[in-house]
Amino acid sequence: MKWLVLLGLVALSECIVILPLRKMKTLRETLREKNLLNNFLEERAYRLSKRDSKITIHPLKNYLDMAYVGNITIGTPPQEFRVVFDTGSADLWVPSISCVSPACYTHKTFNLHNSSSFGQTHQPISISYGPGIIQGFLGSDTVRIGNLVSLKQSFGLSQEEYGFDGAPFDGVLGLAYPSISIKGIIPIFDNLWSQGAFSEPVFAFYLNTCKPEGSVVMFGGVDHRYYKGELNWIPVSQTRYWQISMNRISMNGNVTACSRGCQALLDTGTSMIHGPTRLITNIHKLMNARHQGSEYVVSCDAVKTLPPVIFNINGIDYPLPPQAYITKAQNFCLSIFHGGTETSSPETWILGGVFLRQYFSVFDRRNDRIGLALAV
């Protein structure tokens, strides 16, 4: 039996549940291939949203690039669903068999009548993810993530969905803090923790850079084979999202953004990096990127000459090489930096999959901290 590093302690591998994730073609890529991306984005403008007593909204989301998905089951007998494991939200939902939206016709739906362990609360819900929204009701049932079993887990069942047509997943499994979940609902990670499913309340992501296969999310511990060196620990600055303080962002030794410090969210639910539009524009000028529709086009040869973008967090530099922040799209190249967070105060950045593919990430709920190390 192999030994694993568990937050600096030694633990048996059977204490850790490792679930495979698959990198899917994103909706952004699919729409771009069909020349429909600009129209889609104009109709569903990216925005930061508010929260009121009638609607629970998870801001700082970029639905178009929710790309890493894994399987869970709900009910007795189990019904399988493909979900995004999302650190940028806290709720679990899947489509209901009673959903009337076209998006539900192309995704798996939960049949509550076929589950002997289902319980209904009759509480209506509405959850928004930037350009997408679901409306439905709450239920409870047995939810399984690999060998982990959450009994009487509350989750949402959509009856209407808007903006999720063609999405490469059925639903979302949120892993953020309970403070942003639907009022009164205990998120699945907290339920598993309280039910003694694992001794250490941590989960971690390894997002493979190139291949569709090979990415994983692990619960209850950390497998050191997925990273190099030591984990660097960063305190969570606000226990809602997985939010941390960032010192600065620089290129070629010059500070290009976050000059007086700023906040950053580590979000597995988006593959991009988002920041205030003004600062993103400055970064694009340094790349000689040109605005085209909703995106910024960069010379593919720039990968050979551009410097890394360096994120300094808790005094440690985390470089993002041009091979990571410039992506090939058909026969041209694009920047993965996008604006849209300027309505948030103070300056806020979202570090999505493009950052997390470079750095193995550990989310420690007991100590409210995030661990980062160079991914293998």
Side-chain angles (χ1 to χ4, degrees), residues 145-185:
I145 306 173
N147 295 329
L148 299 174
V149 181
S150 181
L151 302 173
K152 296 182 179 179
Q153 176 63 50
S154 295
F155 67 104
L157 285 159
S158 67
Q159 291 176 300
E160 295 180 74
E161 296 183 12
Y162 304 97
F164 289 89
D165 305 62
F169 53 87
D170 304 310
V172 175
L173 188 152
L175 290 168
Y177 282 83
S179 57
I180 64 167
S181 68
I182 296 170
K183 188 175 182 180
I185 299 306

Side-chain angles (χ1 to χ4, degrees), residues 115-126:
S115 176
S116 61
S117 49
F118 181 78
Q120 188 167 337
T121 65
H122 300 285
Q123 179 181 338
I125 61 166
S126 181

Side-chain angles (χ1 to χ4, degrees), residues 119-141:
Q120 188 167 337
T121 65
H122 300 285
Q123 179 181 338
I125 61 166
S126 181
I127 308 174
S128 175
Y129 298 85
I133 187 170
I134 68 112
Q135 295 176 332
F137 61 95
L138 278 178
S140 69
D141 213 325

Side-chain angles (χ1 to χ4, degrees), residues 67-330:
Y68 289 91
V69 301
N71 293 336
I72 65 168
T73 66
I74 304 175
T76 310
Q79 301 176 43
E80 189 172 68
F81 298 90
R82 191 159 58 185
V83 298
V84 176
F85 287 81
D86 180 24
T87 58
S89 65
D91 299 309
L92 167 63
W93 67 267
V94 296
S96 163
I97 195 173
S98 61
C99 181
V100 297
S101 298
C104 295
Y105 302 154
T106 57
H107 293 100
K108 293 181 180 178
T109 57
F110 181 76
N111 190 333
L112 56 90
H113 305 293
N114 289 347
S115 176
S116 61
S117 49
F118 181 78
Q120 188 167 337
T121 65
H122 300 285
Q123 179 181 338
I125 61 166
S126 181
I127 308 174
S128 175
Y129 298 85
I133 187 170
I134 68 112
Q135 295 176 332
F137 61 95
L138 278 178
S140 69
D141 213 325
T142 300
V143 179
R144 294 174 175 84
I145 306 173
N147 295 329
L148 299 174
V149 181
S150 181
L151 302 173
K152 296 182 179 179
Q153 176 63 50
S154 295
F155 67 104
L157 285 159
S158 67
Q159 291 176 300
E160 295 180 74
E161 296 183 12
Y162 304 97
F164 289 89
D165 305 62
F169 53 87
D170 304 310
V172 175
L173 188 152
L175 290 168
Y177 282 83
S179 57
I180 64 167
S181 68
I182 296 170
K183 188 175 182 180
I185 299 306
I186 301 174
I188 187 167
F189 184 82
D190 292 78
N191 238 4
L192 289 168
W193 184 7
S194 65
Q195 292 170 9
F198 32 69
S199 58
E200 289 296 326
V202 302
F203 57 91
F205 281 88
Y206 172 75
L207 303 182
N208 192 285
T209 305
C210 302
K211 301 176 182 178
E213 308 290 348
S215 301
V216 298
V217 56
M218 55 191 74
F219 293 90
V222 179
D223 187 338
H224 73 280
R225 293 172 297 179
Y226 287 94
Y227 65 90
K228 300 176 183 178
E230 298 295 324
L231 286 166
N232 298 313
W233 293 104
I234 308 152
V236 170
S237 58
Q238 189 178 100
T239 55
R240 289 171 53 79
Y241 305 94
W242 287 95
Q243 181 173 324
I244 58 175
S245 297
M246 187 157 60
N247 301 104
R248 59 188 172 273
I249 301 172
S250 60
M251 293 177 70
N252 261 343
N254 298 314
V255 176
T256 57
C258 189
S259 58
R260 298 181 180 178
C262 58
Q263 295 293 294
L265 278 63
L266 272 69
D267 187 356
T268 58
T270 175
S271 71
M272 302 293 183
I273 290 179
H274 288 273
T277 301
R278 176 180 59 85
L279 298 176
I280 293 293
T281 300
N282 291 340
I283 291 174
H284 282 146
K285 287 179 180 177
L286 295 173
M287 295 181 192
N288 290 320
R290 70 179 188 278
H291 196 221
Q292 182 173 301
S294 61
E295 301 178 296
Y296 277 85
V297 177
V298 186
S299 167
C300 292
D301 290 334
V303 171
K304 303 172 185 176
T305 58
L306 282 173
V309 177
I310 298 174
F311 300 84
N312 186 277
I313 303 171
N314 208 26
I316 295 175
D317 287 342
Y318 295 90
L320 193 65
Q323 293 83 356
Y325 65 75
I326 296 176
T327 61
K328 182 101 172 167
Q330 296 172 317

